Amino acid sequence: MSAVGFPAFPPTGTATQGAVRRGQSWWARSWVRAMEEFALDAGPLKKGRAYARTGRVGPITVSPGAVQARVQDDDGEMYHTVVSLEPLSDDEWDRFLEALASRSGRLAALLAGEMPRDVVAAALDADVTLLPGIGDLEPACDCPTWDLPCLHAAALSYQAGWLLDADPFVLFLLRGRSREQVLDALRGMSTPGDLTAGDLTSRTATSGPTGTGGEGTADHPSPDPGDDPASDAGTGATPSGPRVLGELPPPPDVPEPPAAADLLPGVPDRTPDGIPVDVAGLRAVLAAAALAAAERLTALDR
């Protein structure tokens, strides 16, 4: 399998200059935590973060089992640095993909650049470890220091987390399967209720990894649902030409928002200081709380 190359990240500034924040997704933080908690000394980690932010890491190559790049030191010397992660076996991949295929909605999220927690749960169901744990990442560098990881490997690890932040399929490639291999396998396992092969093909064409070379494709934004072709009503066929709409009806009257007491019993329309209650804001807070509660209950059911 060919490797996938990613261009070097440009400098993002320093902490005092308001550096661009990357690697904020929970799966990117899990990657970084596996590296940081394995470190013997915090010093190289701190300097590695600075190297990552200030553009010391060259183009990154990701292949099954390894992410590697050349990292520039303070004296201008370039060091070849590798961070290794053991790929899954074929049997582990088969079990994981079967479990993932049973959660078809999660594939759409992956194609949109998200790593839902129940993708990791699907791996656990299959007795497979997807995200690295402490000691799973093996740094190596040809620099003369004995730190583990050295500051060059730390810098590469942080930027690898940035790649994972943008495209969860980078983790799959590190574990041994490319984006296309994963999608092809899931096409073969699809059921009538799953995403169709056409869905997978169209989404892959518009949401491939940003890397170049090997099996990577050019950088494309995630597809906009509004760009999908509409189907003729009742036939499921793609329309042969643009639809002509008649004159639109006038918009309906927008009713006045209900009083706070009607929205939530016991809440007055004004505070004791006479300030009106923001009904729309209160409704938004209630909706957000209800959504969070539903997500927690759904997670408990899994």
Side-chain angles (χ1 to χ4, degrees):
M1 183 194 307
S2 300
V4 177
F6 295 86
F9 285 98
T12 62
T14 64
T16 57
Q17 296 171 343
V20 176
R21 293 179 64 82
R22 288 195 176 109
Q24 298 303 300
S25 62
W26 70 269
W27 59 93
R29 292 197 302 270
S30 294
W31 168 278
V32 170
R33 185 165 55 249
M35 181 267 299
E36 290 182 334
E37 294 183 355
F38 178 68
L40 301 177
D41 186 357
L45 298 180
K46 182 178 180 180
K47 197 159 188 177
R49 283 193 294 270
Y51 271 30
R53 289 195 302 264
T54 53
R56 299 293 190 92
V57 181
I60 298 175
T61 300
V62 180
S63 58
V67 53
Q68 53 188 310
R70 293 176 64 81
V71 183
Q72 185 179 28
D73 209 318
D74 289 331
D75 59 5
E77 188 75 22
M78 301 293 291
Y79 294 106
H80 181 243
T81 306
V82 181
V83 177
S84 300
L85 177 66
E86 185 177 359
L88 302 179
S89 67
D90 289 341
D91 181 60
E92 288 174 321
W93 266 110
D94 290 343
R95 299 200 309 268
F96 170 54
L97 290 172
E98 288 177 2
L100 186 59
S102 68
R103 301 167 181 255
S104 57
R106 301 304 91 200
L107 179 58
L110 283 170
L111 290 168
E114 297 291 331
M115 175 74 82
R117 290 184 183 271
D118 59 350
V119 169
V120 178
L124 293 176
D125 290 345
D127 194 24
V128 170
T129 301
L130 186 61
L131 287 166
I134 300 174
D136 289 343
L137 298 179
E138 298 184 7
C141 184
D142 58 8
C143 71
T145 64
W146 291 90
D147 295 316
L148 192 66
C150 67
L151 59 94
H152 312 101
L156 176 58
S157 295
Y158 285 119
Q159 288 203 359
W162 300 356
L163 293 178
L164 291 171
D165 207 28
D167 186 359
F169 280 93
V170 170
L171 178 61
F172 291 168
L173 179 57
L174 282 166
R175 285 298 196 183
R177 298 287 175 91
S178 69
R179 171 188 292 260
E180 281 304 317
Q181 286 177 308
V182 171
L183 297 182
D184 286 345
L186 291 171
R187 287 188 190 105
M189 298 176 182
S190 63
T191 63
D194 295 336
L195 290 174
T196 65
D199 291 331
L200 293 176
T201 301
S202 63
R203 293 186 188 222
T204 305
T206 56
S207 61
T210 59
T212 58
E215 301 189 23
T217 62
D219 188 9
H220 293 286
S222 298
D224 186 337
D227 294 336
D228 293 338
S231 298
D232 289 336
T235 66
T238 302
S240 57
R243 299 188 178 195
V244 178
L245 300 178
E247 183 178 354
L248 296 177
D253 294 333
V254 179
E256 290 294 326
D262 296 333
L263 180 65
L264 187 64
V267 176
D269 291 335
R270 291 180 177 273
T271 68
D273 298 333
I275 300 174
V277 173
D278 183 358
V279 177
L282 183 58
R283 183 185 292 111
V285 171
L286 291 173
L291 178 60
E295 290 176 345
R296 288 176 177 271
L297 290 173
T298 303
L300 290 174
D301 288 339
R302 295 190 181 112

